[in-house]
């Protein structure tokens, strides 16, 4: 795992990944999802940012962070009923517009590879092993979140800064 903080190619910074209780962060503006199958994490190729990243997105009015994760996973991948559990909170320093932001992170374990649906947001999918290097076309921030959530779920250990 990388030493935090780490920066992506446009200047966004992943400051920390924490594994607290969900009720503490009910006001987060977005959710990310780490989907695990056979020791690999699902990454999608985002059509707007042109990079491999975790599924997820912004909360809609009246949604809980969990509802956002379920909806975004379904919209971006076609996956339904993944049984998502709260994994933690990722803290970012973002550049456009400049702001500090917390995002809820959820984890789902799949026993069978689902049929993934390419769409306007997700141009492709790949299963990435967190032990592999991060390619230049992958978000280093999302890769680090995936590594930490993957390890935390596997070992039960808390991994932060």
């Amino acid at each position: 795992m990388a030493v935090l903080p780490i920066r992506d190619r446009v200047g966004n910074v992943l400051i920390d990944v924490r594994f607290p209780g969900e009720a503490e962060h009910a006001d987060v503006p977005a959710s990310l999802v780490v989907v695990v199958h056979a020791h690999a994490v699902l990454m999608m190729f985002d059509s707007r940012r042109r990079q491999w990243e975790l599924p997820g997105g912004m909360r809609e009015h009246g949604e809980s962070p969990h509802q956002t994760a379920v909806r975004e996973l379904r919209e971006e991948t076609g996956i339904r009923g993944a049984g998502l559990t709260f994994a933690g909170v990722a803290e970012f320093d973002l550049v456009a517009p400049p702001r500090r932001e917390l995002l809820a992170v959820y984890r789902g374990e799949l026993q069978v590879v689902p049929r993934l649906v390419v769409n306007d947001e997700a141009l492709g999918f790949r299963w990435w092993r967190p032990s592999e290097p991060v390619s230049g076309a992958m978000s280093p921030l999302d890769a680090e979140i995936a590594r930490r959530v993957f390890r935390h779920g596997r070992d039960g250990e808390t991994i932060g800064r």
Side-chain angles (χ1 to χ4, degrees), residues 1-57:
M1 274 180 288
V3 175
L4 297 180
I6 59 173
R7 184 177 307 273
D8 70 9
R9 64 183 179 220
V10 296
N12 295 312
V13 179
L14 174 62
I15 297 168
D16 198 8
V17 179
R18 298 187 296 272
F19 301 97
E22 182 169 12
E24 297 175 35
H25 296 286
D27 61 345
V28 297
S31 296
L32 295 174
V33 183
V34 177
V35 177
V36 178
H37 170 71
H39 306 292
V41 172
L42 178 64
M43 302 299 276
M44 59 173 256
F45 194 79
D46 183 88
S47 62
R48 188 169 54 90
R49 286 179 289 278
R50 310 299 293 177
Q51 66 182 0
W52 293 101
E53 57 188 41
L54 294 169

Side-chain angles (χ1 to χ4, degrees), residues 128-147:
W128 174 71
R129 291 188 180 276
S131 59
E132 294 174 2
V134 176
S135 73
M138 184 179 290
S139 164
L141 310 184
D142 285 22
E144 189 60 27
I145 291 166
R147 280 184 172 139

Side-chain angles (χ1 to χ4, degrees), residues 29-103:
S31 296
L32 295 174
V33 183
V34 177
V35 177
V36 178
H37 170 71
H39 306 292
V41 172
L42 178 64
M43 302 299 276
M44 59 173 256
F45 194 79
D46 183 88
S47 62
R48 188 169 54 90
R49 286 179 289 278
R50 310 299 293 177
Q51 66 182 0
W52 293 101
E53 57 188 41
L54 294 169
M58 302 302 291
R59 283 176 61 190
E60 293 182 355
H61 180 71
E63 275 186 331
S64 69
H66 183 264
Q67 289 168 327
T68 300
V70 169
R71 177 184 52 77
E72 288 287 343
L73 184 62
R74 182 186 68 246
E75 288 176 359
E76 293 179 350
T77 69
I79 296 173
R80 298 174 183 271
L84 303 182
T85 58
F86 181 70
V89 174
E91 182 178 2
F92 294 89
D93 219 353
L94 303 174
V95 297
R99 66 199 183 280
R100 174 85 36 119
E101 196 162 89
L102 297 175
L103 300 181

Side-chain angles (χ1 to χ4, degrees), residues 111-129:
Q111 299 304 312
V112 176
V113 174
R115 180 179 165 269
L116 299 168
V117 180
V118 172
N119 56 68
D120 292 342
E121 289 183 78
L123 300 180
F125 301 99
R126 67 180 280 201
W127 292 96
W128 174 71
R129 291 188 180 276

